[in-house]
């Protein structure tokens, strides 16, 4: 008897439809054959499925049975097909009605006892079900909650195979998974346990961070050890606008494909903050591998990627240059290619030299000029060009540390950032642009007009600092953001001067 169920295969962060076709009662050796370009984990599913079915009170076919994972030109990977294969076998034996499972995308790994184990890509599978017009998805409990955030899709999460079979037979009910009422709460302060009020001094850096977040600009902080660079970076997500529903689904899709979760413990959503160590490999940073998975730059999609001790990353940084420009990364393999999203805000921190105290008034630098130059040369010029704002984080003195003056909180800064982002959203409505950092050359010419005097000032700064044409565009974008923070329709001279000042480190580099 022939039966067909529906599942999916992950390609990057996207799920592609896969049909589970099972035909039992064939003449030949009484064995189950799995075809359709399966990998080793899929081939092993027969042993897991047979044990799970036996321990759940069901029998395997006593005739030759063929399981086809269609289409045959897509490689099927992992234990995700255990559950649909077992249901397909039961449907081919007439033990469950096929029509009851036909309107679901089904995925899950089976333990030998019949319990369901988590799989990657729950959100992607839910989005696939919505795209195909299915009623919903059937997933293991640990993969189901995030999938329930996809609007218009029913999510069922049985604990074991026997419970699911009873549900499909109409003999039992399984409660739908529903997202908590406050899953999309706007109370951002309850999500984070850090705040900008904890940061003492560093007013110039705080201002640069506010401008960077308001316009979605990349940021580099340069300063000696202990100046608070890492402390400030970890607080940047607290002043970012909370992601929209669509942005959050994109975030969940990336994390789900990687087998991770981005839901906070209180079931509310937030932007990701990734801080890989400088020993990370190229594949770990950008993604890839034999079975391509999202790397750190994709896991930071719609959030922050923090690279501490930037020069220590070395030449691996140059692999990020094109993804930073395009907001996506394409990984090509012999079997095909996948595209991973990676639209992130880069926040980097570094010391001014190897010992960390070049230019310090508090401690003497032990580095020679050649050592300083070699240390800074680890970060290439093209990479620096792609960082909009460079700011120096000076060492804190004892007086600043002892002050009990309360600094601005994250909520106060975020309020200004949100207003600036609202101006940009209105400006770019009807386009795919969301913030000033993403402006195209055409939009720059439209929204970043300079007077003759301002143009001459910028030309002079470009010549004096030896900046590239890319730096010209970045200065204009940052100027536009500073103007937005002051609710100015035009870029004023002091806006332009502040933006130029954020490129002053180019002279040192």
């Amino acid at each position: 008897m022939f039966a067909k169920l529906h599942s999916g295969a992950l390609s990057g962060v996207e799920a592609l439809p896969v049909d589970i076709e099972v035909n039992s009662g064939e003449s030949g050796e009484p064995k189950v054959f799995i075809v359709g370009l399966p990998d080793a984990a899929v081939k092993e599913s027969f042993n897991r499925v047979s044990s799970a079915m036996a321990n759940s009170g069901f029998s395997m076919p006593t005739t030759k049975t063929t399981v086809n994972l269609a289409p045959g030109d897509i490689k099927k990977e992992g234990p995700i097909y255990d559950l649909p294969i077992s249901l397909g076998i039961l449907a081919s034996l007439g033990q469950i009605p096929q029509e009851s499972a036909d309107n679901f995308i089904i995925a899950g790994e089976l333990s030998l006892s019949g319990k369901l184990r988590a799989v990657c890509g729950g959100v992607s599978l839910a989005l696939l079900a919505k795209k195909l017009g299915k009623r919903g998805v059937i997933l293991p409990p640990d993969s189901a909650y995030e999938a329930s955030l996809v609007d218009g899709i029913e999510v069922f999460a049985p604990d074991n195979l026997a419970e699911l079979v009873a549900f499909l037979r109409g003999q039992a009910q399984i409660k739908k998974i529903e997202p908590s009422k406050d899953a999309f709460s706007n109370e951002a302060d309850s999500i984070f346990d850090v705040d900008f009020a904890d940061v003492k001094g560093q007013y110039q850096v705080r201002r640069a961070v506010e401008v960077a977040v308001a316009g979605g600009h990349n940021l580099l902080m340069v300063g000696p050890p202990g100046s608070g660079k890492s402390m400030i970076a970890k607080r940047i997500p607290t002043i970012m606008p909370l992601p929209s529903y669509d942005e959050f689904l994109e975030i969940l899709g990336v994390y789900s494909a990687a087998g991770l979760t981005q839901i906070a413990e209180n079931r509310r959503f937030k932007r990701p903050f990734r801080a890989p160590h400088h020993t990370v490999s190229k594949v770990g940073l950008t993604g890839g591998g034999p079975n391509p998975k999202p790397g750190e730059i994709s896991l930071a999609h719609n959030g922050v990627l923090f690279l501490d001790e930037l020069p220590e990353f070395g030449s691996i940084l140059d692999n990020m240059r094109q993804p930073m420009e395009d907001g996506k990364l394409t990984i090509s393999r012999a079997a095909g290619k996948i595209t991973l999203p990676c639209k992130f805000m880069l926040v980097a921190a570094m010391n001014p030299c190897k010992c960390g105290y070049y230019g310090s008034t508090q401690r003497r630098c032990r580095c020679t000029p050649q050592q300083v130059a070699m240390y800074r040369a680890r970060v290439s010029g093209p990479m620096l060009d792609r960082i909009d704002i460079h700011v120096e984080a000076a060492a804190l003195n004892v007086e600043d540390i002892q002050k009990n003056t309360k600094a601005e909180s994250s909520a106060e800064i975020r309020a200004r950032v949100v207003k600036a982002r609202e101006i940009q959203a209105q400006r770019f409505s009807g386009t795919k642009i969301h913030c000033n950092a993403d402006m195209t050359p055409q939009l720059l010419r439209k929204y970043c007009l300079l007077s003759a005097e301002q143009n001459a000032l910028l030309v002079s700064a470009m010549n004096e600092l030896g900046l590239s044409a890319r730096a010209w565009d970045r200065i204009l974008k940052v100027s536009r953001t500073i103007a937005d923070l002051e609710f100015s329709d035009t870029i004023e001279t002091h806006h332009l001067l502040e933006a130029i000042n954020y490129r002053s480190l180019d002279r040192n580099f």
Side-chain angles (χ1 to χ4, degrees):
M1 181 177 174
F2 175 79
K4 183 172 76 171
L5 280 76
H6 309 285
S7 188
L10 283 180
S11 176
V13 298
E14 181 185 5
L16 303 176
V18 171
D19 291 335
I20 312 297
E21 300 176 338
V22 181
N23 193 54
S24 61
E26 301 174 356
S27 60
E29 181 183 0
K31 186 177 179 182
V32 175
F33 296 90
I34 300 177
V35 298
L37 208 59
D39 71 349
V42 179
K43 292 177 181 178
E44 291 173 352
S45 67
F46 166 74
N47 298 310
R48 291 190 297 271
V49 166
S50 60
S51 294
M53 289 179 62
N55 289 319
S56 300
F58 307 110
S59 301
M60 289 291 289
T62 56
T63 62
K64 178 185 176 183
T65 301
T66 302
V67 178
N68 180 36
L69 310 180
D73 59 345
I74 298 176
K75 188 172 183 180
K76 318 306 186 302
E77 300 171 340
I80 188 174
Y81 304 106
D82 289 2
L83 184 59
I85 287 175
S86 64
L87 293 177
I89 291 174
L90 291 173
S92 73
L93 296 175
Q95 298 187 30
I96 60 171
Q98 179 181 323
E99 57 273 13
S100 63
D102 191 57
N103 212 21
F104 292 97
I105 297 293
I106 305 171
E109 178 184 354
L110 287 173
S111 69
L112 299 186
S113 65
K115 288 186 67 66
L116 271 63
R117 289 179 173 153
V119 294
C120 298
V123 174
S124 301
L125 292 169
L127 291 172
L128 174 64
K130 185 174 184 178
K131 179 181 177 181
L132 297 178
K134 298 294 184 182
R135 175 185 170 188
V137 292
I138 297 175
L139 296 169
D142 291 339
S143 306
Y145 180 79
E146 292 180 354
S148 70
L149 297 175
V150 177
D151 189 41
I153 290 297
E154 296 182 359
V155 179
F156 295 92
D159 287 326
N160 53 64
L161 178 61
E163 181 182 349
L164 177 55
V165 170
F167 169 71
L168 295 176
R169 287 174 174 173
Q171 299 170 348
Q173 292 294 321
I174 299 177
K175 188 176 180 180
K176 288 191 299 185
I177 303 297
E178 301 283 357
S180 60
K181 294 181 180 179
D182 59 354
F184 298 101
S185 170
N186 290 325
E187 299 175 8
D189 295 322
S190 62
I191 298 177
F192 303 101
D193 55 3
V194 294
D195 196 283
F196 259 95
D198 305 327
V199 180
K200 295 186 177 181
Q202 298 296 10
Y203 302 108
Q204 181 181 357
V205 180
R206 291 168 66 102
R207 168 64 177 177
V209 167
E210 180 178 338
V211 172
V213 175
H217 304 290
N218 298 324
L219 171 71
L220 171 63
M221 296 178 284
V222 182
S227 56
K229 302 186 296 296
S230 299
M231 181 182 185
I232 290 172
K234 292 174 182 177
R235 283 156 176 77
I236 288 178
T238 68
I239 65 171
M240 299 181 77
L242 290 177
S244 66
Y245 174 77
D246 290 337
E247 286 179 322
F248 190 52
L249 284 185
E250 291 176 4
I251 295 169
L252 288 181
V254 174
Y255 272 72
S256 181
L260 303 173
T261 180
Q262 181 56 13
I263 294 284
E265 289 183 1
N266 59 3
R267 296 298 192 186
R268 293 176 182 170
F269 69 156
K270 60 181 179 179
R271 293 185 183 273
F273 178 85
R274 305 295 299 184
H277 192 261
H278 60 76
T279 57
V280 66
S281 66
K282 175 186 173 182
V283 170
L285 184 65
T286 60
N291 303 323
K293 294 285 186 181
E296 291 291 340
I297 64 174
S298 291
L299 293 172
H301 180 60
N302 287 333
V304 176
L305 177 67
F306 176 48
L307 302 183
D308 201 5
E309 305 296 343
L310 187 67
E312 301 298 334
F313 285 84
S315 61
I316 194 177
L317 293 174
D318 290 327
N319 295 296
M320 295 171 48
R321 283 157 47 183
Q322 197 59 42
M324 286 173 64
E325 292 287 325
D326 298 340
K328 60 184 179 181
L329 171 69
T330 300
I331 300 174
S332 298
R333 294 289 182 268
K337 63 181 181 180
I338 63 170
T339 299
L340 300 171
C342 55
K343 184 62 184 175
F344 57 87
M345 175 183 169
L346 174 64
V347 178
M350 62 178 287
N351 296 328
C353 65
K354 184 69 175 178
C355 77
Y357 296 102
Y358 179 80
S360 173
T361 59
Q362 298 180 350
R363 293 186 62 172
R364 181 180 178 183
C365 175
R366 302 190 302 271
C367 303
T368 65
Q370 184 180 9
Q371 289 174 324
V372 174
M374 290 178 62
Y375 180 75
R376 295 185 173 184
R378 295 182 185 179
V379 184
S380 67
M383 185 64 189
L384 279 177
D385 254 359
R386 287 168 169 80
I387 301 178
D388 306 8
I389 296 176
H390 309 161
V391 63
E392 294 187 70
L396 290 175
N397 54 45
V398 178
E399 290 75 16
D400 286 333
I401 297 173
Q402 289 181 327
K403 283 181 181 178
N404 291 321
T405 306
K406 187 176 180 180
E408 267 192 320
S409 68
S410 293
E412 294 173 290
I413 302 173
R414 185 173 59 253
R416 295 194 295 269
V417 168
V418 168
K419 289 180 180 178
R421 286 290 185 101
E422 289 173 350
I423 293 173
Q424 295 165 50
Q426 184 176 1
R427 175 183 300 138
F428 304 126
S429 62
T431 71
K432 294 183 179 180
I433 305 299
H434 300 291
C435 55
N436 289 333
D438 299 331
M439 278 193 286
T440 62
Q442 293 82 2
L443 294 175
L444 274 175
R445 289 192 294 269
K446 182 177 181 180
Y447 296 115
C448 300
L449 297 175
L450 301 179
S451 66
E453 293 80 6
Q454 292 171 338
N455 196 70
L457 175 64
L458 183 52
V459 169
S460 175
M462 293 285 293
N463 292 331
E464 182 178 343
L465 297 176
L467 302 179
S468 68
R470 184 181 284 113
W472 175 287
D473 289 349
R474 307 249 171 205
I475 289 173
L476 290 179
K477 292 176 182 179
V478 174
S479 300
R480 181 65 265 171
T481 299
I482 297 170
D484 289 342
L485 284 168
E486 296 185 4
F487 308 109
S488 174
D489 293 332
T490 60
I491 296 175
E492 304 295 338
T493 301
H494 67 278
H495 301 151
L496 182 62
L497 287 171
E498 183 178 351
I500 293 172
N501 185 59
Y502 290 138
R503 305 295 306 190
S504 61
L505 291 176
D506 284 339
R507 177 191 292 128
N508 298 330
F509 279 84

